[in-house]
Each structure stands twice: as structure tokens, then as C-alpha cells.
Amino acid sequence: MRAVAEDDIQPGAEHALGEDLIGVLRALDEVKLACADVAALFQACGGLVGSGQSSLSHWLQHTADRSPSEAAQLASLAHRPVHLEESERAYASGEIPLARFERICHWVNEGLACRSQAEWPDTQAFALKAQESLLELAVDPSATVAAVNRTGRRLRYMSNPALHEKEYQDRYAGRGAVLSRGVNGSFHLEAWGDEASGDALRGALDAFLAPPGEREERTAAQRMHDALVDVCSTVVALPAEAAPLRRAGAAPVSVVVGLDTLQGKEGAAPAVSEYGTLWPASAARAHTNDCQLTRVVSDPLDGRPLDVGRSRRLFSPEVRTALMAQRQTCAWEGGCDRPIAWCQVDHRLAWWDGGASDLDNAQPLCRYHNLEKEHRRARERGWEQRPRPRRGGKRPDPFPNPKSRPLSGSAPPGIPRHQRPEHGQQLTAEDTGTDGDPLSP
């Protein structure tokens, strides 16, 4: 094959090469199936006795140096039920590839192991019935291995609903979420749980995840992050009657920020949130474009409040309504297709620079581009910014300093074993309202 790869390939020859590749992969499947037969004979002859491995899959992985997925596939083929002659004929004739044949074997075995023996006392009858549903899907050229897996799980739970209920309740009992903060103010969020809760979470996120446009710069992970923040910000900003499960008195995050910080003056102190987190000027500016504002006059020497004004909203509901009649999407200069209902009202000229809170100075910006505008302004002022990760780039480490990483906790029962950080964040409070609001009045 190396010699073929090094030769000059004539135009149009890629199709023939593709056919050759399919033939080679088919031959490899035959080798895998033969290996599975030898593995079954090895186990039947007592090969696992004294090996220190509890299963054929473990022996293949740790002694034969196979990957976990390859070891599981070979073990599944080695243990294939004896009543699947129709599936074996479909594989031998080329109707289904080895991967789909192995999935049929796996799910029939799973069903046999957990079926209700009172309802299905005959092993062969159950195997043939399960094979019928799986093979009907597997021979469809448009079907995927994932589709076969979904059908297999459905059959497994249909054969024993009590098992499904037990596994679901185990997943629900093992649910959890951890929000940890680094010493630099960064955060890490991790959550796990049952399938119903997962669908509820995904449904809420999908409501804020529009399909990426042609000029989309964010990665899939960044879009998911922004959707999660949008969900949280929207729920907190809803009227109390629209969110009956919300804690009484809940409000958007409050931030104390000096006017000199908003104006970008040298030496200005960073903004401070009610959770004690320090915000840079760009983040404070982005979150105070359309906020509930409270003026606080303080003593310049000791910081003691001297006067607290009345809270007021910068943009009136009438301006929001008029803006919605003018545009349908975010007004970012590079183009953005996020709907206007998901946008915040932004000052073209910031109010702290003398900009008015009227229709002529208003534009809708989605949360991402509102932040990007202020990040760009910070870069233009020469303030250091870490380069933004591009599509396909390495995911940034939220805790680049090892000393800032939170301690690991033990994973709950039934949860994959990976580190879970501890909670921990101090709390302070002042009374300047922030966070952009949805355009709807």
C-alpha cells in the first residue's frame, strides 16, 4: 500500500482506490471474526483460569494489548448467540458490515441476560424475536450503528421494564453538579444525572442555540457556554410570576464599578461583583450597557457611601419596542443572525462617555458581540488580552496555574471516575445593578 500511495494518482482514480480500501477493510473484518472465534475457543478451554483477568474482554485488553473498544467488540463476537444464523448470513453476503453484526450480537446477549424469564422462558424464541427487529434496521443502508444501539437499548428495556426503572432511579440518585472557582476568578461547571434531567437541560440550551451562521467564530463548546449563561441570565431577569420556582428576591448579578473604570482611566480600580469577584473594565462595560443603575456617591478618602440615588433603567421599554420594529437580528458590524429577542440594548456611544439612552443611540447586540465589542476596545487601549481560541484549536485550560486548581472530590456512585472540584467562593455585596436584559419589555 505504501508503494501505491507514493505513485502518481491519475485524475478520477480516487474512486477505484476507495473500492480497494473497502475491500481491504472487509478482509480485516474477516480477520477480526476469525480472532473472535479463536478467543471463544481459548476461553472454553480454560484460558482465563490463573490469568488474573475476570473476563475475556479484560484479558484481550490487558494481556493481548487491545484497546478497550476493540477488546469489547472481539468479546461480543466471541460470545455471539447460537441462534443468529440469519444475521450471520447477512454478514457473509455483505448485506451488513461487521460493526452492525457485532451490535446485533451484543444487544441480543444483553436482552437474554436481563429478560423477564416468566414472559420469555424460551431462549431461542427471545433471541430470534430480538434479532428480527435489529436485523431489519441493520440491513438499511441509511441506518447507522448509533441507530442500531438505540433500538438495542429499547429492546433491552422492553424485555425488562423493572430493570429500566431501577437503572433510571440509580442515575437519578447519583445526580449532582459542581461549580468551582479558581483563585483568578475563573470557573468550572460540571453536572451529571439521569436521562430525563439531561433532556430538560438540553431543551433549555437548545432554545438559545441558533444554528451557526457563515461568519460564526465561536467553537461548539463556546456556543454551548454562551447559551448556558443566556439561559441563566434570562431566568433571573423574568418577573416573579413567570418564574414561580425561583428563590424570592433573586435578581441579576450586582456589581460595584467606579465611573473612572467605565471611562477607562489609568489606575482605575476593577469592578467588584456581589460574589467578591474582580471584573476587568471590558466585562463591566459590557454588562452595564443596559442595566438597572443605582448611583452611589462615596467619600474619596475612605470609600464611605455619602448618597445613594434611586435605581433606574437606562433604556425605556418604549426604546426597546421601537428597536424591535427596526431590526430582526443582532446589529454586529460583521454580521450576526442571532434573533433580536436574544439581544441586549447597547449604547452606540457609551452613556458614561456622554451617549444618550434614546433610539438614535441604541442598537441590539447579542451577549457574545456585546462582550466582543468591549474586549476589542480594551485591546485597542493596549490592555493585555489572552488570544481567543480559534475553531479547531486547543481548549484553554480554565486553571492554567496548577496552584489555582480546585481540589478533587470523589465521584458519586455510578458516575465515571474523573475529578470533581470542590465548592468555595466568598460573598460580598453592593448595590449597582448589571447584566444586559432581553429586548422584550
Side-chain angles (χ1 to χ4, degrees):
M1 294 300 293
R2 181 181 297 274
V4 172
E6 290 176 351
D7 289 342
D8 292 333
I9 301 176
Q10 298 298 323
E14 65 272 11
H15 300 294
L17 287 174
E19 293 297 326
D20 290 342
L21 179 58
I22 291 174
V24 171
L25 293 174
R26 174 72 180 183
L28 286 175
D29 285 347
E30 292 291 336
V31 173
K32 283 186 178 180
L33 189 58
C35 289
D37 291 338
V38 174
L41 183 60
F42 165 77
Q43 184 175 11
C45 294
L48 294 180
V49 178
S51 67
Q53 303 298 337
S54 60
S55 67
L56 180 59
S57 178
H58 287 170
W59 186 92
L60 289 167
Q61 182 178 343
H62 300 293
T63 306
D65 294 326
R66 300 298 92 188
S67 68
S69 59
E70 185 181 9
Q73 184 185 53
L74 289 172
S76 178
L77 291 169
H79 297 148
R80 61 186 183 272
V82 296
H83 310 297
L84 303 185
E85 293 89 352
E86 190 174 349
S87 294
E88 294 201 27
R89 284 195 295 270
Y91 166 70
S93 65
E95 290 185 80
I96 59 174
L98 184 67
R100 297 187 193 184
F101 177 48
E102 183 273 329
R103 289 289 84 191
I104 293 174
C105 298
H106 170 81
W107 289 115
V108 171
N109 270 330
E110 284 283 308
L112 287 170
C114 69
R115 76 188 191 281
S116 171
Q117 296 194 16
E119 184 177 353
W120 294 98
D122 188 340
T123 299
Q124 180 176 357
F126 178 88
L128 293 176
K129 183 66 176 178
Q131 175 189 237
E132 180 181 349
S133 299
L134 292 166
L135 185 58
E136 181 180 1
L137 177 63
V139 296
D140 182 356
S142 63
T144 63
V145 172
V148 177
N149 281 332
R150 284 193 296 270
T151 301
R153 292 190 198 94
R154 184 169 179 269
L155 287 171
R156 179 175 182 264
Y157 289 140
M158 286 177 61
S159 66
N160 193 337
L163 175 67
H164 190 191
E165 184 64 34
K166 178 184 181 302
E167 291 183 350
Y168 159 73
Q169 293 194 20
D170 287 344
R171 287 187 286 270
Y172 178 75
R175 71 194 183 280
V178 173
L179 174 63
S180 61
R181 304 298 293 260
V183 295
N184 59 356
S186 59
F187 81 94
H188 180 86
L189 175 65
E190 193 171 4
W192 58 94
D194 62 277
E195 50 270 42
S197 301
D199 283 350
L201 178 60
R202 186 60 203 243
L205 292 172
D206 282 349
F208 289 82
L209 277 172
E214 293 181 359
R215 300 181 181 180
E216 180 62 76
E217 295 181 351
R218 297 172 295 170
T219 65
Q222 289 170 337
R223 294 177 63 243
M224 184 70 74
H225 168 281
D226 293 348
L228 179 60
V229 175
D230 288 341
V231 169
C232 297
S233 300
T234 300
V235 170
V236 172
L238 287 173
E241 59 272 16
L245 299 181
R246 192 179 63 197
R247 173 179 58 83
V253 178
S254 296
V255 177
V256 176
V257 55
L259 182 60
D260 53 350
T261 302
L262 295 175
Q263 292 174 337
K265 293 183 179 179
E266 292 291 336
V272 183
S273 80
E274 61 183 301
Y275 296 104
T277 310
L278 301 180
W279 290 19
S282 61
R285 290 170 66 102
H287 285 269
T288 53
N289 272 323
D290 183 23
C291 65
Q292 188 80 13
L293 179 69
T294 303
R295 177 185 57 83
V296 179
V297 179
S298 60
D299 190 301
L301 297 179
D302 57 16
R304 180 169 50 89
L306 301 177
D307 181 63
V308 178
R310 177 179 299 177
S311 296
R312 64 185 180 89
R313 174 133 340 247
L314 293 181
F315 281 108
S316 67
E318 291 75 19
V319 171
R320 288 183 178 80
T321 302
L323 200 59
M324 292 178 71
Q326 287 184 353
R327 293 189 61 91
Q328 286 73 49
T329 60
C330 169
W332 182 245
E333 60 191 34
C336 177
D337 58 2
R338 287 176 71 82
I340 194 171
W342 296 1
C343 295
Q344 303 168 351
V345 184
D346 172 67
H347 290 78
R348 297 178 186 272
L349 176 63
W351 62 266
W352 50 80
D353 289 333
S357 297
D358 56 24
L359 185 60
D360 291 338
N361 194 42
Q363 64 177 351
L365 286 183
C366 67
R367 178 181 172 276
Y368 168 67
H369 284 126
N370 192 0
L371 283 167
E372 177 60 24
K373 182 190 75 172
E374 298 302 336
H375 292 169
R376 177 184 294 180
R377 184 176 302 184
R379 290 192 292 270
E380 290 173 351
R381 289 177 179 267
W383 298 335
E384 288 192 4
Q385 293 271 325
R386 180 175 299 181
R388 293 184 294 120
R390 294 293 180 183
R391 279 184 176 274
K394 183 179 180 182
R395 180 181 299 182
D397 187 348
F399 300 102
N401 181 359
K403 293 183 179 180
S404 70
R405 291 179 179 275
L407 298 175
S408 301
S410 57
I415 302 302
R417 293 179 298 174
H418 46 286
Q419 295 181 337
R420 303 193 184 282
E422 299 287 347
H423 296 276
Q425 173 66 17
Q426 67 273 20
L427 182 68
T428 63
E430 290 284 353
D431 53 359
T432 298
T434 67
D435 211 306
D437 294 321
L439 274 170
S440 53

